[in-house]
Amino acid sequence: DREKHGNTAKGKNVGTAILDDFKVLKIRELRKQYYRIKELAVMFGVSESSIKGIVHRHSWKHLP
């Protein structure tokens, strides 16, 4: 019901979010420039699975 009514926290509004919209867009841009997942994870201080989710658009879907 929360998602249906638009009450689900997304992106930086999630209380535990380490990244913000700008950083997520930067990650996607750098990945297109052939940076490795592991390099991006270290650069941004998050896990490799977080980077994979961002790159494959499983998370932060609301961003282009």
Side-chain angles (χ1 to χ4, degrees):
D1 278 345
R2 285 186 305 169
E3 195 167 327
K4 179 180 171 185
H5 296 288
N7 295 328
T8 303
K10 295 178 182 173
K12 66 181 179 182
N13 294 328
V14 175
T16 58
I18 294 173
L19 303 171
D20 58 23
D21 294 354
F22 176 77
K23 290 179 183 176
V24 169
L25 294 174
K26 189 68 176 174
I27 288 168
R28 289 180 179 161
E29 179 184 320
L30 291 172
R31 181 65 179 147
K32 287 178 185 176
Q33 296 174 14
Y34 303 102
Y35 277 79
R36 292 182 171 171
I37 298 287
K38 190 171 188 169
E39 291 175 311
L40 294 170
V42 171
M43 287 171 60
F44 289 92
V46 295
S47 68
E48 290 181 39
S49 63
S50 293
I51 298 294
K52 288 178 186 176
I54 291 167
V55 170
H56 297 294
R57 299 186 188 279
H58 296 142
S59 57
W60 296 82
K61 297 176 193 178
H62 65 284
L63 293 177

